[in-house]
Structure formats: C-alpha cells, structure tokens
Amino acid sequence: MGASKTADYTLIQTDLARYCKALSHPARVAILQLLLERKTCICGDIVEDLPIAQSTVSQHLKELKQSGLIKGEIDGTSVCYCIDESEWIKATQLLRSFFDGFELNSNTCC
Amino acid sequence: MGASKTADYTLIQTDLARYCKALSHPARVAILQLLLERKTCICGDIVEDLPIAQSTVSQHLKELKQSGLIKGEIDGTSVCYCIDESEWIKATQLLRSFFDGFELNSNTCC
DNA sequence: TCCTTTTATCGTAATATTGCGATCAATATG
DNA sequence: CATATTGATCGCAATATTACGATAAAAGGA
C-alpha cells in the first residue's frame, strides 16, 4: 500500500512533488489561471467558470490552500481567494532550478 | 466519481496537469534528478538509489514514460533511460509561462 | 542448453483522489 | 426573526495511485 515515508526523500524532492501535485489536475490549473487573471476570486466566481459542482470546486480550493499556493480570506458570507505571493515565488524558483538542470543535447541513449 | 472529461479543459491546462502529475511523487522527482545528473541510467541504477522495490521503480518509470518526460531504449537485457529533450523543453516553457503569469504585489485580498 | 541478469507485468492490498448531492454554519437582508 | 446567500463539510461511490512479492520474458554468458 501507499507507504513511502517522507524521510526517504529530500526536502526539495517533497516540496517539488507537493507543488506539482497541486497542479496535477486540470481543474486546479484552471482555478490558478483564473486567480492569475483576476487577481482575486470568490468561490462562486470559480464555480461559474468551471464545469464542476460547487462542492468539488471547494475541495480543489482546499487542496490548493494546503499546497500553500493560494490563501483565502473570509469576507462576509463569501471567501476571497488569491495567490500566496511568497509561496508562488518559492514554487517558481524550485521548478526553475529543477528544469534548468537539464543540459541540452546531453542525453546519449535513445 | 472521477469523470472530468478532457474536453472541459484547454490543451494547455491538460498538458500542464499531465507534466505536473509526473512530478507529483517524490520518487519520480528523485528519478528525474538522477537522470539529470547521470544523463542516462538503467533501471537497476535507479533501484539502487531509491528506497523502494524494483517493481515499484518500474511502475514509476512507466508513468514517467507515459508523461513523455523520459524515454527508454532496450540494450541487451537492460533498458537505458534518459530525459526526452523535446518534451522536457516543452514542459519547461509551459511551466515558465504559467508561473510568469503572476504579477508581483498584485494580490489585493488577504 | 542451462543459468543468470535485467526489467516488465501480474495479482493483491491499502489508501487517495475525484465527483456529486445533501446538509450545515455563518453572515446578510427583508 | 425569518430567509436568503455563500461556501465548507459529510457521506457515498467509482476509480486511481502506490507499494510489494512473485513470476514471466528476453537476452547474455558458461
């Protein structure tokens, strides 16, 4: 079953995996794109934009919050969501240095 | 249950999600790091390096192959794996333009 | 030919993910 | 106070993921 102790991997590996897991579903990518575009959204805005039910959107928002990439602030009956700037920068840098680790024309097999 | 028709999302959204899903487990991040470092690896090299069984490594390699990020070539009894350059570049660019979509200090809520 | 090496695949089990409708809790509004 | 509105959570179902040992398949070597 799904053991895979966290201690078996480095912090960079688990951080990268965590950010990527947040982006591993097209609905969550779409939510983030909407937040990038509009800067802030309430949950209802996202529900209107996506082809999935409100409860499902809420669940995806919860996962995005847990990844750290977004945060939400209660404002009356609604919740205002936005990108978490410092986490976004951290993810950007982590991914950049990971993908930049590839040297062009260096793969000798295949 | 897990329906989520592909047609509901853009190609960019599903491509991004597919690449990120490949990176969504620390073992797969570790495999890619090893390939970046050593340029090529046979399956056994990776099994030696990771704290998981050979069959599990093989399964992760299969997922990475399906994402497009790596390819493998049979060489005698072993299989030589390496990064797929063109897919890697595509993923790099897709992720870069996604993360660059954030404007600093633009989040007004929270 | 027999045996070893290497990797993929099968079978199984545990857990996680995705999705929905229904409902709850909190705040507005009449 | 009654009643919307908004979003989170619960309960459930279907499917996917992760992991392992056992075994199969393919190629090389004695």
Side-chain angles (χ1 to χ4, degrees):
Chain A
M1 22 79 188
S4 78
K5 299 142 281 179
T6 303
D8 290 336
Y9 301 99
T10 67
L11 186 58
I12 286 180
Q13 286 163 352
T14 54
D15 276 355
L16 249 174
R18 180 169 49 83
Y19 289 131
C20 286
K21 189 164 191 165
L23 282 156
S24 73
H25 192 289
R28 290 194 290 271
V29 172
I31 290 172
L32 290 172
Q33 282 182 326
L34 205 63
L35 286 174
L36 288 168
E37 212 177 288
R38 303 194 191 171
K39 315 305 179 194
T40 71
C41 285
I42 64 167
C43 176
D45 294 337
I46 298 163
V47 173
E48 271 180 43
D49 203 66
L50 295 197
I52 49 179
Q54 179 269 324
S55 59
T56 308
V57 168
S58 191
Q59 219 170 337
H60 283 306
L61 285 168
K62 189 180 181 182
E63 283 183 71
L64 285 170
K65 247 192 301 183
Q66 281 167 349
S67 80
L69 289 174
I70 71 168
K71 49 188 177 174
E73 196 183 44
I74 296 171
D75 172 32
T77 60
S78 59
V79 177
C80 181
Y81 286 99
C82 63
I83 304 282
D84 183 309
E85 176 162 327
S86 64
E87 287 278 339
W88 190 268
I89 291 170
K90 193 181 157 198
T92 303
Q93 289 172 345
L94 212 51
L95 278 162
R96 197 198 312 279
S97 60
F98 179 75
F99 276 90
D100 284 355
F102 179 72
E103 300 169 32
L104 286 173
N105 311 311
S106 71
N107 48 323
T108 53
C109 80
C110 319
Chain B
M1 22 79 188
S4 79
K5 299 143 281 178
T6 303
D8 290 335
Y9 301 99
T10 68
L11 185 58
I12 287 180
Q13 286 163 352
T14 54
D15 276 356
L16 249 175
R18 179 168 48 84
Y19 289 131
C20 285
K21 189 164 191 165
L23 282 156
S24 74
H25 192 288
R28 290 194 289 271
V29 172
I31 290 172
L32 290 172
Q33 283 181 326
L34 205 62
L35 286 174
L36 288 168
E37 212 176 288
R38 303 194 192 171
K39 316 305 180 193
T40 72
C41 284
I42 63 168
C43 175
D45 294 337
I46 298 162
V47 173
E48 269 181 45
D49 204 66
L50 295 197
I52 49 178
Q54 178 269 324
S55 59
T56 308
V57 168
S58 192
Q59 220 169 337
H60 282 305
L61 284 169
K62 189 179 179 181
E63 283 182 70
L64 285 170
K65 247 191 302 183
Q66 281 167 350
S67 81
L69 290 174
I70 71 167
K71 50 188 177 174
E73 194 183 46
I74 297 171
D75 172 31
T77 60
S78 59
V79 177
C80 181
Y81 286 100
C82 63
I83 305 283
D84 183 310
E85 175 162 327
S86 63
E87 287 278 338
W88 190 267
I89 291 170
K90 193 182 157 197
T92 304
Q93 289 173 345
L94 212 51
L95 278 161
R96 195 197 316 277
S97 61
F98 178 75
F99 276 91
D100 283 355
F102 179 73
E103 298 168 33
L104 286 174
N105 312 311
S106 70
N107 49 323
T108 52
C109 80
C110 318

